[in-house]
Amino acid sequence: MRAVPFICAALSAAFGLAAGPAAAQETFRVGITAPTVNMLPLWMARDAGLFRMRGLNIEIVNTEGGSRGLAQVGQGRLQAMTVGLSATIDANTKGGDYRLIASGANTMSFRFFGANGLTAATLKGKAVGVSSFGSESDVAASMALRQLGLTRRDVNVIESGGTLDRLSALRAGRIAATALNEPADSQAQMNGLPLLVDLKANLPWIFTAIVVEKRYLETHRATLLNFLRAYGEGIHLALSDETRAKRVLASEFTQFSPAIVQITYDDFKARVPRDAAPSPDGIATQLREFPGLGIPLKSTLPADYVDSSLIEELKREGFFTAMQAKYGTR
């Protein structure tokens, strides 16, 4: 019987579980670009107390733009940011030193919509909204414009806030076009807004990820491992309990119908990597595409933007295999 506490302690150490309710809680502030489908693992893990179980007092902060959020990471106001590889590349090219450590979506998730009555032929000279310059929505706008035979010089690209803010601006006619992902994507379609370019294909792309400053990664590996354990378990909890996941989504997206919430959840299931691993194909695609979009690169080496060592460590310890067994996911 004396072996039981030893076994429990060993399992707790392996999976980063706190020793009990008296364990000290470390504040961990993570930014989100906007409330979107890709934030579900964070919300699920917070809802289920998975961060608290691993000694983390989580604070989720809406920075209304990936580039702005990364700047707060660099200032020490946030410990991590949920943002795509595009913003990471942009920030490092401008002198930052950030590393993408886990992925929440490995395919492009945007569609490019216009305001009521707008067509591709009438977009020239009008305002195109992005969350912030250098963000995923900014790069997606450049990609969409290229498919329409336009360049950024042909329109007025302006910062217009997060996805839901851009949807409101589009419906009100304050901007002429913008890239949207779920749930704003399907809501725009239901509102009859014209779809100008569909970028939401299975194009390999690190669309949403967890990004930290390299120095923080080097000095707080144990903290980040515990964060990723909670985040990773949040993925599998969301996949296994659709009712709970949709309830969490509905609490965040109170203005959207149950039908939109269902579409949003289905999009999450289709796109989220079960092991939170960044896709090498996605990294290669972005490094290949950026020069053609006029986006400068500090380096073409993936290691200058991505560090998968924490995810690999979790794989070696059997964490994701254990999550699949616990939740019956695949």
Side-chain angles (χ1 to χ4, degrees):
M1 291 298 293
R2 283 184 295 178
V4 173
F6 176 80
I7 294 171
C8 291
L11 288 173
S12 294
F15 293 104
L17 301 180
Q25 296 286 300
E26 179 181 357
T27 297
F28 192 98
R29 303 181 79 238
V30 56
I32 65 172
T33 59
T36 70
V37 58
N38 306 111
M39 307 311 148
L40 183 55
L42 286 175
W43 293 331
M44 289 294 289
R46 180 181 62 183
D47 182 71
L50 301 179
F51 291 111
R52 189 170 59 253
M53 287 168 55
R54 292 169 171 86
L56 298 177
N57 175 28
I58 196 75
E59 294 181 21
I60 301 175
V61 181
N62 183 0
T63 65
E64 298 185 346
S67 300
R68 280 190 287 273
L70 277 183
Q72 292 186 40
V73 173
Q75 296 159 4
R77 296 167 60 188
L78 298 174
Q79 280 66 61
M81 183 67 199
T82 53
V83 69
L85 180 57
S86 298
T88 309
I89 291 173
D90 178 71
N92 283 1
T93 298
K94 293 175 179 175
D97 199 11
Y98 301 96
R99 292 298 182 274
L100 188 155
I101 62 171
S103 178
N106 284 328
T107 54
M108 171 61 77
S109 302
F110 275 132
R111 291 195 289 178
F112 192 69
F113 286 89
N116 274 316
L118 187 127
T119 66
T122 58
L123 179 57
K124 193 170 184 178
K126 294 184 170 60
V128 172
V130 303
S131 63
S132 56
F133 298 128
S135 66
E136 296 301 322
S137 63
D138 191 23
V139 174
S142 294
M143 295 176 70
L145 290 169
R146 182 173 64 180
Q147 291 195 33
L148 295 171
L150 300 170
T151 70
R152 295 172 72 92
R153 293 187 297 274
D154 296 318
V155 297
N156 180 25
V157 180
I158 61 173
E159 295 186 326
S160 306
T163 307
L164 303 186
D165 291 332
R166 298 199 309 279
L167 174 61
S168 296
L170 196 62
R171 289 194 289 199
R174 295 193 298 273
I175 56 176
T178 192
L180 300 172
N181 65 322
E182 299 296 357
D185 174 357
S186 291
Q187 187 63 56
Q189 188 173 31
M190 288 189 176
N191 291 156
L193 297 178
L195 175 61
L196 303 179
V197 179
D198 189 353
L199 298 169
K200 196 175 180 177
N202 288 321
L203 175 68
W205 200 270
I206 313 298
F207 184 76
T208 298
I210 304 297
V211 178
V212 301
E213 199 169 32
K214 183 183 178 184
R215 180 175 51 186
Y216 187 85
L217 170 59
E218 293 170 345
T219 58
H220 292 77
R221 286 186 68 88
T223 297
L224 288 172
L225 282 168
N226 277 331
F227 173 84
L228 290 179
R229 289 184 184 104
Y231 179 84
E233 186 165 357
I235 290 173
H236 288 272
L237 175 58
L239 290 170
S240 69
D241 193 340
E242 179 172 340
T243 300
R244 184 174 189 172
K246 289 192 294 187
R247 184 173 70 246
V248 169
L249 286 172
S251 71
E252 298 289 340
F253 303 130
T254 55
Q255 68 273 52
F256 294 103
S257 69
I260 294 292
V261 170
Q262 181 67 59
I263 292 170
T264 301
Y265 178 70
D266 291 341
D267 184 74
F268 165 78
K269 285 196 302 182
R271 294 181 186 276
V272 67
R274 275 50 175 171
D275 59 1
S279 160
D281 287 344
I283 299 165
T285 298
Q286 287 175 263
L287 293 177
R288 183 180 65 246
E289 287 286 326
F290 276 28
L293 294 169
I295 301 172
L297 294 173
K298 171 186 177 181
S299 165
T300 58
L301 296 176
D304 287 331
Y305 310 106
V306 179
D307 186 325
S308 297
S309 64
L310 295 174
I311 291 296
E312 292 305 315
E313 185 170 338
L314 292 179
K315 288 181 180 179
R316 287 194 300 272
E317 77 177 27
F319 174 78
F320 293 107
T321 301
M323 290 300 102
Q324 289 176 319
K326 177 176 180 178
Y327 292 102
T329 51
R330 56 183 178 85

Short mmCIF file of all heavy atoms in Angstrom, two decimals, residues 252-311:
data_model
loop_
_atom_site.label_atom_id
_atom_site.label_comp_id
_atom_site.label_asym_id
_atom_site.label_seq_id
_atom_site.Cartn_x
_atom_site.Cartn_y
_atom_site.Cartn_z
N GLU A 252 -18.78 32.40 -25.00
CA GLU A 252 -17.89 33.41 -25.56
C GLU A 252 -18.52 34.15 -26.74
O GLU A 252 -18.22 35.32 -26.97
CB GLU A 252 -16.57 32.76 -26.01
CG GLU A 252 -15.77 32.10 -24.89
CD GLU A 252 -15.14 33.10 -23.93
OE1 GLU A 252 -14.99 34.28 -24.31
OE2 GLU A 252 -14.81 32.69 -22.80
N PHE A 253 -19.37 33.46 -27.47
CA PHE A 253 -19.99 34.03 -28.67
C PHE A 253 -21.49 34.17 -28.47
O PHE A 253 -22.31 33.55 -29.14
CB PHE A 253 -19.70 33.14 -29.88
CG PHE A 253 -18.24 32.91 -30.15
CD1 PHE A 253 -17.75 31.64 -30.35
CD2 PHE A 253 -17.35 33.97 -30.20
CE1 PHE A 253 -16.40 31.41 -30.61
CE2 PHE A 253 -16.00 33.76 -30.45
CZ PHE A 253 -15.52 32.48 -30.66
N THR A 254 -21.86 35.03 -27.53
CA THR A 254 -23.26 35.14 -27.14
C THR A 254 -24.15 35.72 -28.24
O THR A 254 -25.36 35.52 -28.23
CB THR A 254 -23.39 36.04 -25.89
OG1 THR A 254 -22.77 37.31 -26.15
CG2 THR A 254 -22.71 35.38 -24.70
N GLN A 255 -23.54 36.42 -29.20
CA GLN A 255 -24.33 37.05 -30.27
C GLN A 255 -24.57 36.12 -31.45
O GLN A 255 -25.21 36.51 -32.42
CB GLN A 255 -23.67 38.34 -30.75
CG GLN A 255 -22.33 38.18 -31.49
CD GLN A 255 -21.13 38.16 -30.59
OE1 GLN A 255 -21.07 37.39 -29.63
NE2 GLN A 255 -20.14 38.99 -30.90
N PHE A 256 -24.04 34.89 -31.37
CA PHE A 256 -24.16 33.97 -32.50
C PHE A 256 -25.15 32.85 -32.20
O PHE A 256 -25.31 32.42 -31.05
CB PHE A 256 -22.80 33.37 -32.86
CG PHE A 256 -21.82 34.40 -33.39
CD1 PHE A 256 -20.80 34.89 -32.59
CD2 PHE A 256 -21.94 34.89 -34.67
CE1 PHE A 256 -19.91 35.83 -33.06
CE2 PHE A 256 -21.06 35.83 -35.16
CZ PHE A 256 -20.04 36.32 -34.35
N SER A 257 -25.80 32.38 -33.26
CA SER A 257 -26.82 31.35 -33.13
C SER A 257 -26.20 29.98 -32.85
O SER A 257 -25.02 29.77 -33.10
CB SER A 257 -27.63 31.27 -34.42
OG SER A 257 -26.81 30.73 -35.47
N PRO A 258 -27.02 29.04 -32.33
CA PRO A 258 -26.52 27.68 -32.14
C PRO A 258 -25.98 27.07 -33.43
O PRO A 258 -25.03 26.27 -33.38
CB PRO A 258 -27.74 26.92 -31.63
CG PRO A 258 -28.55 27.96 -30.93
CD PRO A 258 -28.37 29.21 -31.76
N ALA A 259 -26.56 27.43 -34.56
CA ALA A 259 -26.07 26.90 -35.85
C ALA A 259 -24.64 27.36 -36.13
O ALA A 259 -23.80 26.58 -36.59
CB ALA A 259 -27.00 27.33 -36.98
N ILE A 260 -24.35 28.63 -35.83
CA ILE A 260 -23.00 29.15 -36.03
C ILE A 260 -22.03 28.50 -35.05
O ILE A 260 -20.89 28.17 -35.39
CB ILE A 260 -22.97 30.68 -35.89
CG1 ILE A 260 -23.78 31.34 -37.01
CG2 ILE A 260 -21.54 31.20 -35.90
CD1 ILE A 260 -23.18 31.20 -38.39
N VAL A 261 -22.47 28.30 -33.82
CA VAL A 261 -21.63 27.64 -32.82
C VAL A 261 -21.28 26.23 -33.28
O VAL A 261 -20.13 25.78 -33.14
CB VAL A 261 -22.32 27.62 -31.44
CG1 VAL A 261 -21.57 26.72 -30.46
CG2 VAL A 261 -22.41 29.04 -30.88
N GLN A 262 -22.26 25.51 -33.86
CA GLN A 262 -22.01 24.16 -34.35
C GLN A 262 -20.97 24.17 -35.48
O GLN A 262 -20.04 23.36 -35.50
CB GLN A 262 -23.30 23.52 -34.86
CG GLN A 262 -23.14 22.09 -35.36
CD GLN A 262 -22.80 21.11 -34.26
OE1 GLN A 262 -23.57 20.97 -33.31
NE2 GLN A 262 -21.66 20.43 -34.36
N ILE A 263 -21.12 25.10 -36.42
CA ILE A 263 -20.17 25.22 -37.52
C ILE A 263 -18.77 25.53 -36.97
O ILE A 263 -17.76 24.97 -37.44
CB ILE A 263 -20.62 26.32 -38.50
CG1 ILE A 263 -21.89 25.88 -39.24
CG2 ILE A 263 -19.51 26.64 -39.51
CD1 ILE A 263 -22.53 26.99 -40.05
N THR A 264 -18.71 26.40 -35.98
CA THR A 264 -17.43 26.78 -35.37
C THR A 264 -16.77 25.57 -34.72
O THR A 264 -15.56 25.34 -34.88
CB THR A 264 -17.65 27.90 -34.34
OG1 THR A 264 -18.26 29.02 -35.00
CG2 THR A 264 -16.35 28.33 -33.71
N TYR A 265 -17.55 24.79 -33.98
CA TYR A 265 -17.00 23.59 -33.34
C TYR A 265 -16.51 22.59 -34.38
O TYR A 265 -15.43 22.00 -34.23
CB TYR A 265 -18.04 22.95 -32.43
CG TYR A 265 -17.54 21.67 -31.79
CD1 TYR A 265 -16.56 21.71 -30.80
CD2 TYR A 265 -18.03 20.43 -32.18
CE1 TYR A 265 -16.08 20.54 -30.22
CE2 TYR A 265 -17.56 19.26 -31.61
CZ TYR A 265 -16.58 19.32 -30.63
OH TYR A 265 -16.10 18.16 -30.07
N ASP A 266 -17.28 22.39 -35.44
CA ASP A 266 -16.88 21.46 -36.49
C ASP A 266 -15.57 21.91 -37.16
O ASP A 266 -14.73 21.09 -37.52
CB ASP A 266 -17.99 21.33 -37.54
CG ASP A 266 -19.22 20.61 -37.00
OD1 ASP A 266 -19.11 19.91 -35.97
OD2 ASP A 266 -20.30 20.76 -37.61
N ASP A 267 -15.42 23.22 -37.30
CA ASP A 267 -14.18 23.75 -37.88
C ASP A 267 -12.99 23.46 -36.96
O ASP A 267 -11.92 23.09 -37.42
CB ASP A 267 -14.33 25.27 -38.10
CG ASP A 267 -13.12 25.88 -38.80
OD1 ASP A 267 -12.98 25.67 -40.01
OD2 ASP A 267 -12.33 26.56 -38.13
N PHE A 268 -13.20 23.61 -35.66
CA PHE A 268 -12.16 23.28 -34.70
C PHE A 268 -11.74 21.82 -34.83
O PHE A 268 -10.54 21.51 -34.92
CB PHE A 268 -12.66 23.56 -33.28
CG PHE A 268 -11.81 22.94 -32.20
CD1 PHE A 268 -10.62 23.53 -31.82
CD2 PHE A 268 -12.19 21.76 -31.59
CE1 PHE A 268 -9.83 22.96 -30.84
CE2 PHE A 268 -11.41 21.17 -30.61
CZ PHE A 268 -10.22 21.78 -30.23
N LYS A 269 -12.70 20.92 -34.84
CA LYS A 269 -12.39 19.49 -34.94
C LYS A 269 -11.60 19.16 -36.20
O LYS A 269 -10.71 18.31 -36.18
CB LYS A 269 -13.68 18.66 -34.92
CG LYS A 269 -14.35 18.55 -33.58
CD LYS A 269 -15.37 17.42 -33.56
CE LYS A 269 -16.44 17.58 -34.62
NZ LYS A 269 -17.44 16.49 -34.55
N ALA A 270 -11.94 19.83 -37.28
CA ALA A 270 -11.30 19.53 -38.56
C ALA A 270 -9.86 20.04 -38.63
O ALA A 270 -9.04 19.47 -39.36
CB ALA A 270 -12.11 20.13 -39.70
N ARG A 271 -9.54 21.10 -37.86
CA ARG A 271 -8.26 21.78 -38.06
C ARG A 271 -7.24 21.60 -36.94
O ARG A 271 -6.04 21.70 -37.18
CB ARG A 271 -8.51 23.28 -38.27
CG ARG A 271 -9.25 23.58 -39.54
CD ARG A 271 -9.47 25.08 -39.75
NE ARG A 271 -10.29 25.30 -40.92
CZ ARG A 271 -9.83 25.35 -42.15
NH1 ARG A 271 -8.54 25.19 -42.38
NH2 ARG A 271 -10.63 25.53 -43.17
N VAL A 272 -7.69 21.35 -35.72
CA VAL A 272 -6.74 21.37 -34.61
C VAL A 272 -5.81 20.16 -34.66
O VAL A 272 -6.26 19.02 -34.81
CB VAL A 272 -7.47 21.42 -33.26
CG1 VAL A 272 -8.25 20.14 -32.99
CG2 VAL A 272 -6.50 21.72 -32.13
N PRO A 273 -4.49 20.36 -34.56
CA PRO A 273 -3.56 19.22 -34.49
C PRO A 273 -3.65 18.56 -33.12
O PRO A 273 -3.58 19.25 -32.09
CB PRO A 273 -2.19 19.85 -34.73
CG PRO A 273 -2.36 21.29 -34.37
CD PRO A 273 -3.78 21.65 -34.62
N ARG A 274 -3.83 17.26 -33.09
CA ARG A 274 -4.05 16.54 -31.83
C ARG A 274 -2.85 16.60 -30.91
O ARG A 274 -3.00 16.46 -29.69
CB ARG A 274 -4.41 15.09 -32.13
CG ARG A 274 -5.89 14.80 -32.41
CD ARG A 274 -6.54 15.69 -33.44
NE ARG A 274 -7.91 15.30 -33.74
CZ ARG A 274 -8.73 16.02 -34.48
NH1 ARG A 274 -8.34 17.18 -34.99
NH2 ARG A 274 -9.98 15.59 -34.71
N ASP A 275 -1.66 16.81 -31.46
CA ASP A 275 -0.46 16.89 -30.63
C ASP A 275 0.12 18.31 -30.56
O ASP A 275 1.23 18.51 -30.09
CB ASP A 275 0.61 15.93 -31.14
CG ASP A 275 1.02 16.20 -32.59
OD1 ASP A 275 0.49 17.17 -33.19
OD2 ASP A 275 1.86 15.45 -33.12
N ALA A 276 -0.66 19.29 -31.06
CA ALA A 276 -0.24 20.70 -31.01
C ALA A 276 1.09 20.96 -31.69
O ALA A 276 1.75 21.96 -31.41
CB ALA A 276 -0.20 21.20 -29.56
N ALA A 277 1.50 20.06 -32.59
CA ALA A 277 2.81 20.20 -33.24
C ALA A 277 2.71 21.12 -34.45
O ALA A 277 1.82 20.96 -35.29
CB ALA A 277 3.33 18.83 -33.66
N PRO A 278 3.61 22.08 -34.59
CA PRO A 278 3.66 22.92 -35.79
C PRO A 278 3.98 22.07 -37.02
O PRO A 278 4.86 21.21 -36.97
CB PRO A 278 4.77 23.92 -35.49
CG PRO A 278 4.96 23.88 -34.01
CD PRO A 278 4.63 22.48 -33.60
N SER A 279 3.29 22.32 -38.10
CA SER A 279 3.49 21.56 -39.32
C SER A 279 4.72 22.05 -40.09
O SER A 279 4.79 23.22 -40.45
CB SER A 279 2.25 21.69 -40.22
OG SER A 279 2.54 21.38 -41.55
N PRO A 280 5.68 21.16 -40.36
CA PRO A 280 6.83 21.58 -41.18
C PRO A 280 6.39 22.09 -42.56
O PRO A 280 7.01 23.03 -43.08
CB PRO A 280 7.66 20.29 -41.29
CG PRO A 280 7.29 19.50 -40.07
CD PRO A 280 5.83 19.78 -39.84
N ASP A 281 5.35 21.49 -43.12
CA ASP A 281 4.85 21.95 -44.43
C ASP A 281 4.30 23.36 -44.33
O ASP A 281 4.47 24.18 -45.24
CB ASP A 281 3.77 21.01 -44.95
CG ASP A 281 4.33 19.67 -45.42
OD1 ASP A 281 5.56 19.58 -45.64
OD2 ASP A 281 3.54 18.72 -45.57
N GLY A 282 3.61 23.66 -43.21
CA GLY A 282 3.08 25.00 -43.02
C GLY A 282 4.18 26.03 -42.92
O GLY A 282 4.10 27.11 -43.51
N ILE A 283 5.22 25.69 -42.17
CA ILE A 283 6.37 26.61 -42.03
C ILE A 283 7.01 26.85 -43.40
O ILE A 283 7.28 27.99 -43.78
CB ILE A 283 7.39 26.02 -41.05
CG1 ILE A 283 6.77 25.82 -39.67
CG2 ILE A 283 8.63 26.92 -40.97
CD1 ILE A 283 7.59 24.94 -38.75
N ALA A 284 7.22 25.77 -44.15
CA ALA A 284 7.85 25.88 -45.46
C ALA A 284 7.02 26.71 -46.42
O ALA A 284 7.55 27.52 -47.19
CB ALA A 284 8.10 24.48 -46.04
N THR A 285 5.68 26.54 -46.38
CA THR A 285 4.80 27.30 -47.26
C THR A 285 4.93 28.79 -47.00
O THR A 285 5.06 29.59 -47.93
CB THR A 285 3.34 26.88 -47.05
OG1 THR A 285 3.19 25.49 -47.39
CG2 THR A 285 2.41 27.70 -47.93
N GLN A 286 4.90 29.18 -45.73
CA GLN A 286 4.97 30.60 -45.43
C GLN A 286 6.31 31.21 -45.78
O GLN A 286 6.37 32.31 -46.35
CB GLN A 286 4.61 30.83 -43.95
CG GLN A 286 3.12 30.63 -43.71
CD GLN A 286 2.72 30.72 -42.25
OE1 GLN A 286 2.59 29.70 -41.60
NE2 GLN A 286 2.52 31.91 -41.74
N LEU A 287 7.38 30.51 -45.48
CA LEU A 287 8.70 31.03 -45.84
C LEU A 287 8.87 31.13 -47.36
O LEU A 287 9.58 32.01 -47.86
CB LEU A 287 9.79 30.14 -45.24
CG LEU A 287 9.90 30.15 -43.71
CD1 LEU A 287 10.96 29.17 -43.24
CD2 LEU A 287 10.20 31.56 -43.19
N ARG A 288 8.19 30.26 -48.08
CA ARG A 288 8.25 30.30 -49.54
C ARG A 288 7.37 31.42 -50.11
O ARG A 288 7.73 32.09 -51.08
CB ARG A 288 7.81 28.95 -50.11
CG ARG A 288 7.90 28.87 -51.64
CD ARG A 288 7.46 27.51 -52.14
NE ARG A 288 6.06 27.25 -51.89
CZ ARG A 288 5.59 26.31 -51.06
NH1 ARG A 288 6.44 25.55 -50.38
NH2 ARG A 288 4.30 26.14 -50.87
N GLU A 289 6.18 31.63 -49.51
CA GLU A 289 5.20 32.58 -50.05
C GLU A 289 5.54 34.03 -49.73
O GLU A 289 5.21 34.92 -50.53
CB GLU A 289 3.82 32.26 -49.48
CG GLU A 289 3.17 31.02 -50.05
CD GLU A 289 2.67 31.23 -51.47
OE1 GLU A 289 2.23 32.36 -51.80
OE2 GLU A 289 2.72 30.28 -52.26
N PHE A 290 6.18 34.29 -48.61
CA PHE A 290 6.33 35.67 -48.16
C PHE A 290 7.09 36.58 -49.13
O PHE A 290 6.66 37.71 -49.35
CB PHE A 290 6.98 35.68 -46.77
CG PHE A 290 5.98 35.49 -45.66
CD1 PHE A 290 4.82 34.78 -45.87
CD2 PHE A 290 6.20 36.01 -44.40
CE1 PHE A 290 3.88 34.59 -44.87
CE2 PHE A 290 5.27 35.83 -43.38
CZ PHE A 290 4.11 35.12 -43.62
N PRO A 291 8.20 36.14 -49.70
CA PRO A 291 8.89 37.05 -50.64
C PRO A 291 8.00 37.49 -51.80
O PRO A 291 8.06 38.65 -52.22
CB PRO A 291 10.07 36.20 -51.12
CG PRO A 291 10.34 35.27 -49.99
CD PRO A 291 8.98 34.92 -49.46
N GLY A 292 7.14 36.57 -52.30
CA GLY A 292 6.24 36.92 -53.39
C GLY A 292 5.16 37.90 -52.99
O GLY A 292 4.55 38.56 -53.84
N LEU A 293 4.90 37.99 -51.68
CA LEU A 293 3.91 38.94 -51.17
C LEU A 293 4.57 40.26 -50.75
O LEU A 293 3.90 41.15 -50.23
CB LEU A 293 3.18 38.34 -49.97
CG LEU A 293 2.29 37.13 -50.26
CD1 LEU A 293 1.84 36.47 -48.95
CD2 LEU A 293 1.08 37.54 -51.09
N GLY A 294 5.87 40.36 -50.98
CA GLY A 294 6.58 41.58 -50.62
C GLY A 294 6.90 41.69 -49.14
O GLY A 294 7.16 42.78 -48.63
N ILE A 295 6.89 40.54 -48.43
CA ILE A 295 7.15 40.54 -46.99
C ILE A 295 8.61 40.14 -46.76
O ILE A 295 9.03 39.06 -47.15
CB ILE A 295 6.22 39.55 -46.27
CG1 ILE A 295 4.76 39.94 -46.52
CG2 ILE A 295 6.52 39.52 -44.78
CD1 ILE A 295 3.76 38.92 -46.02
N PRO A 296 9.39 41.01 -46.13
CA PRO A 296 10.82 40.69 -45.91
C PRO A 296 11.00 39.59 -44.88
O PRO A 296 10.18 39.42 -43.97
CB PRO A 296 11.41 42.01 -45.42
CG PRO A 296 10.24 42.73 -44.81
CD PRO A 296 9.03 42.33 -45.60
N LEU A 297 12.06 38.83 -45.01
CA LEU A 297 12.40 37.76 -44.08
C LEU A 297 13.76 38.03 -43.46
O LEU A 297 14.73 38.28 -44.17
CB LEU A 297 12.44 36.41 -44.80
CG LEU A 297 11.13 35.85 -45.38
CD1 LEU A 297 11.42 34.60 -46.19
CD2 LEU A 297 10.15 35.55 -44.26
N LYS A 298 13.83 37.94 -42.15
CA LYS A 298 15.12 38.03 -41.46
C LYS A 298 15.98 36.83 -41.81
O LYS A 298 17.19 36.93 -41.94
CB LYS A 298 14.89 38.09 -39.95
CG LYS A 298 16.15 37.99 -39.11
CD LYS A 298 15.80 37.91 -37.63
CE LYS A 298 17.04 37.74 -36.78
NZ LYS A 298 16.72 37.64 -35.34
N SER A 299 15.32 35.68 -41.96
CA SER A 299 16.02 34.42 -42.20
C SER A 299 15.06 33.46 -42.87
O SER A 299 13.84 33.56 -42.72
CB SER A 299 16.51 33.85 -40.86
OG SER A 299 16.88 32.49 -41.00
N THR A 300 15.60 32.51 -43.61
CA THR A 300 14.78 31.45 -44.19
C THR A 300 14.90 30.16 -43.39
O THR A 300 14.38 29.12 -43.81
CB THR A 300 15.20 31.19 -45.65
OG1 THR A 300 16.59 30.83 -45.68
CG2 THR A 300 14.96 32.41 -46.51
N LEU A 301 15.56 30.22 -42.23
CA LEU A 301 15.72 29.04 -41.39
C LEU A 301 14.54 28.91 -40.44
O LEU A 301 14.27 29.82 -39.63
CB LEU A 301 17.01 29.15 -40.57
CG LEU A 301 18.32 29.16 -41.35
CD1 LEU A 301 19.49 29.38 -40.39
CD2 LEU A 301 18.49 27.86 -42.12
N PRO A 302 13.80 27.79 -40.48
CA PRO A 302 12.66 27.61 -39.56
C PRO A 302 13.04 27.78 -38.10
O PRO A 302 12.24 28.30 -37.31
CB PRO A 302 12.21 26.17 -39.87
CG PRO A 302 12.61 25.94 -41.28
CD PRO A 302 13.90 26.68 -41.44
N ALA A 303 14.25 27.38 -37.72
CA ALA A 303 14.67 27.45 -36.31
C ALA A 303 14.75 28.88 -35.80
O ALA A 303 14.78 29.11 -34.58
CB ALA A 303 16.03 26.78 -36.14
N ASP A 304 14.77 29.86 -36.69
CA ASP A 304 14.78 31.25 -36.26
C ASP A 304 13.40 31.75 -35.88
O ASP A 304 13.24 32.89 -35.40
CB ASP A 304 15.37 32.14 -37.35
CG ASP A 304 16.88 31.97 -37.47
OD1 ASP A 304 17.51 31.65 -36.45
OD2 ASP A 304 17.41 32.15 -38.58
N TYR A 305 12.38 30.91 -36.08
CA TYR A 305 11.00 31.29 -35.76
C TYR A 305 10.26 30.23 -34.93
O TYR A 305 9.32 30.57 -34.22
CB TYR A 305 10.20 31.53 -37.05
CG TYR A 305 10.88 32.44 -38.03
CD1 TYR A 305 11.48 31.94 -39.19
CD2 TYR A 305 10.96 33.81 -37.81
CE1 TYR A 305 12.11 32.77 -40.10
CE2 TYR A 305 11.59 34.65 -38.71
CZ TYR A 305 12.16 34.12 -39.86
OH TYR A 305 12.80 34.96 -40.75
N VAL A 306 10.67 28.98 -35.04
CA VAL A 306 9.92 27.88 -34.43
C VAL A 306 10.85 27.03 -33.58
O VAL A 306 11.97 26.71 -33.99
CB VAL A 306 9.27 26.98 -35.52
CG1 VAL A 306 8.52 25.81 -34.89
CG2 VAL A 306 8.33 27.81 -36.41
N ASP A 307 10.37 26.67 -32.38
CA ASP A 307 11.09 25.76 -31.49
C ASP A 307 10.10 24.70 -31.02
O ASP A 307 9.24 24.96 -30.19
CB ASP A 307 11.68 26.52 -30.30
CG ASP A 307 12.58 25.64 -29.42
OD1 ASP A 307 12.28 24.45 -29.28
OD2 ASP A 307 13.56 26.16 -28.88
N SER A 308 10.22 23.49 -31.56
CA SER A 308 9.29 22.41 -31.23
C SER A 308 9.80 21.51 -30.11
O SER A 308 9.23 20.44 -29.87
CB SER A 308 9.04 21.55 -32.49
OG SER A 308 8.42 22.31 -33.50
N SER A 309 10.84 21.95 -29.40
CA SER A 309 11.46 21.06 -28.41
C SER A 309 10.53 20.71 -27.26
O SER A 309 10.59 19.60 -26.72
CB SER A 309 12.75 21.69 -27.88
OG SER A 309 12.49 22.90 -27.18
N LEU A 310 9.65 21.63 -26.85
CA LEU A 310 8.73 21.34 -25.76
C LEU A 310 7.70 20.30 -26.18
O LEU A 310 7.39 19.37 -25.42
CB LEU A 310 8.03 22.62 -25.30
CG LEU A 310 8.93 23.69 -24.68
CD1 LEU A 310 8.12 24.95 -24.40
CD2 LEU A 310 9.57 23.20 -23.40
N ILE A 311 7.17 20.44 -27.39
CA ILE A 311 6.21 19.45 -27.89
C ILE A 311 6.89 18.09 -28.02
O ILE A 311 6.30 17.05 -27.68
CB ILE A 311 5.64 19.90 -29.25
CG1 ILE A 311 4.73 21.14 -29.06
CG2 ILE A 311 4.85 18.77 -29.91
CD1 ILE A 311 3.49 20.90 -28.22
#
